[in-house]
Amino acid sequence: EDQVTQSPEALRLQEGESSSLNCSYTVSGLRGLFWYRQDPGKGPEFLFTLYSAGEEKEKERLKATLTKKESFLHITAPKPEDSATYLCAVQAGSSYKLIFGSGTRLLVRP
Amino acid sequence: SAVISQKPSRDICQRGTSLTIQCQVDSQVTMMFWYRQQPGQSLTLIATANQGSEATYESGFVIDKFPISRPNLTFSTLTVSNMSPEDSSIYLCSVEYYGEQFFGPGTRLTVL
């Protein structure tokens, strides 16, 4: 069964304190791995799609990487406005369905 | 990117009634999806709605409870029928657009 696990469930950082969020997956034929940011009361905001092991993508203070078993979302020198829930999702095989992890709630304190 | 709007943004309904949620996209897309996010939970796919064909439902979701329409390439509706308090959730529309999936702002439904 296709599965996505995110860790930690919650993360508290001081402003400027860099860290990483983990997304491990078990799927039959990865089609794509997606990262989203979700603020309270809003829909998920698309961040990245990664397709193959070794791929990396960056956007401002965020960098996503992918291996054959997991993905990391690295946050460099975070600011309070980076506080949100970060969701990881995968597409497997020929399906366009997204299978989501439970998310990591990030709080960045000033 | 694709910009998606949903109506209503939120509603409070009585049990036994039905609510239809609208999803509008600013670009023509083949694939649209409806997800549910229960309180404190992550997202679960309800169904895939492709224009010109019947919606495909995931395990645990049935057409009688969640009928979907997809009349054209920019619009879809999801109806939540015969509602119970367990249907209280955020309902989200999403689209596949050039290999990426974008989400609408969601409809927050509370069933009393």
Side-chain angles (χ1 to χ4, degrees):
Chain A
E1 181 184 349
D2 299 330
Q3 205 163 17
V4 180
T5 303
Q6 290 188 247
S7 62
E9 289 185 11
L11 181 62
R12 288 188 174 190
L13 299 174
Q14 284 296 133
E15 183 172 2
E17 179 186 3
S18 301
S19 187
S20 296
L21 282 56
N22 178 262
C23 171
S24 62
Y25 61 91
T26 306
V27 296
S28 303
L30 181 70
R31 182 186 182 97
L33 186 140
F34 296 70
W35 282 99
Y36 291 89
R37 168 192 172 128
Q38 187 174 29
D39 293 296
K42 296 189 176 182
E45 174 190 345
F46 173 81
L47 294 174
F48 305 108
T49 308
L50 303 168
Y51 295 101
S52 57
E55 189 174 0
E56 300 182 351
K57 288 190 177 176
E58 288 187 65
K59 179 180 180 180
E60 296 180 354
R61 294 178 292 282
L62 301 177
K63 179 180 178 179
T65 63
L66 181 64
T67 73
K68 289 186 177 180
K69 295 183 177 180
E70 58 192 348
S71 176
F72 291 94
L73 184 65
H74 307 278
I75 303 177
T76 301
K79 298 181 178 181
E81 53 262 42
D82 294 322
S83 298
T85 296
Y86 289 85
L87 299 170
C88 170
V90 298
Q91 282 179 335
S94 59
S95 173
Y96 287 87
K97 165 186 176 180
L98 288 179
I99 302 165
F100 279 87
S102 56
T104 293
R105 295 189 312 279
L106 174 65
L107 175 63
V108 182
R109 294 175 290 186
Chain B
S1 67
V3 178
I4 304 167
S5 59
Q6 287 184 232
K7 289 182 181 179
S9 59
R10 58 177 63 225
D11 208 341
I12 300 173
C13 301
Q14 297 297 319
R15 68 170 66 210
T17 64
S18 298
L19 176 71
T20 295
I21 302 167
Q22 298 180 8
C23 176
Q24 181 76 49
V25 190
D26 70 342
S27 303
Q28 293 187 336
V29 294
T30 302
M31 308 190 73
M32 296 181 78
F33 308 88
W34 287 98
Y35 286 82
R36 181 174 75 180
Q37 188 171 29
Q38 294 181 299
Q41 304 294 314
S42 195
L43 284 76
T44 301
L45 181 65
I46 297 171
T48 301
N50 292 338
Q51 198 272 333
S53 61
E54 296 292 320
T56 303
Y57 289 82
E58 295 297 306
S59 175
F61 298 96
V62 295
I63 188 172
D64 291 345
K65 176 68 176 177
F66 298 101
I68 288 170
S69 78
R70 182 76 202 273
N72 58 52
L73 291 173
T74 62
F75 188 79
S76 178
T77 67
L78 169 76
T79 298
V80 186
S81 303
N82 188 26
M83 289 184 284
S84 67
E86 293 70 37
D87 294 319
S88 296
S89 291
I90 299 173
Y91 292 86
L92 295 137
C93 169
S94 78
V95 302
E96 177 84 10
Y97 188 71
Y98 290 97
E100 298 171 351
Q101 277 201 23
F102 298 94
F103 283 82
T107 295
R108 182 180 294 273
L109 171 62
T110 301
V111 184
L112 302 177

